[in-house]
Amino acid sequence: MATITLVGSEFLRHPDALVPQRWNVCEPLSVSEPITSITGWKLDWATNDPQLCADIMQSAGRISVITDIVVDENCGIEGRIRLRSAGRATLDPIETSCATALRLAMWEHHGIQPAAREILGSDVKKYATLDRIIAAQSQGLSVRARIIQRLQLISQGLI
């Protein structure tokens, strides 16, 4: 059984393997690959390994790896990064965990950008910070109207 497993894993890792990366359990997550039934597993794998996560995020967004915060064994931020973009859209630099940034990059690529193209006919170019979105609430707009308004302003580069 061990021989079969070893041969199988070597087959999957071979550069000429017939299994596409998105279906290959031996290949790390790629944000740009289509979602498959094993994407969740690959995302869990990546978010539990700070170095793997940082390697993936180097290609999915602009990041700088910074020193982890350790308050005690139960509190801190492991895999801490400074994020400047999560794909096509930029944002004001934020410090977060790589795991959070990777989830954002996946959402940006597979959710936000396709929705923006469908609703607005263009990609989101910049993300607004939360304080700008909260300010729209005082205008009495519905959640959907606020999102559409923000996407329009962002796509035009106005915020």
Side-chain angles (χ1 to χ4, degrees), residues 5 8 24 39 42 51 60 67 72 108 110 148-149:
T5 303
N24 191 334
T39 300
K42 286 183 168 191
Q51 183 58 55
T67 307
D72 61 37
E108 189 269 348
H110 297 284
I148 291 172
Q149 179 189 50

Side-chain angles (χ1 to χ4, degrees), residues 1-19 23-27:
M1 182 65 168
T3 304
I4 293 171
T5 303
L6 182 60
V7 170
S9 75
E10 287 304 314
F11 171 75
L12 289 174
R13 293 175 190 204
H14 191 276
D16 295 330
L18 299 176
V19 179
W23 286 104
N24 191 334
V25 296
C26 294
E27 289 294 321

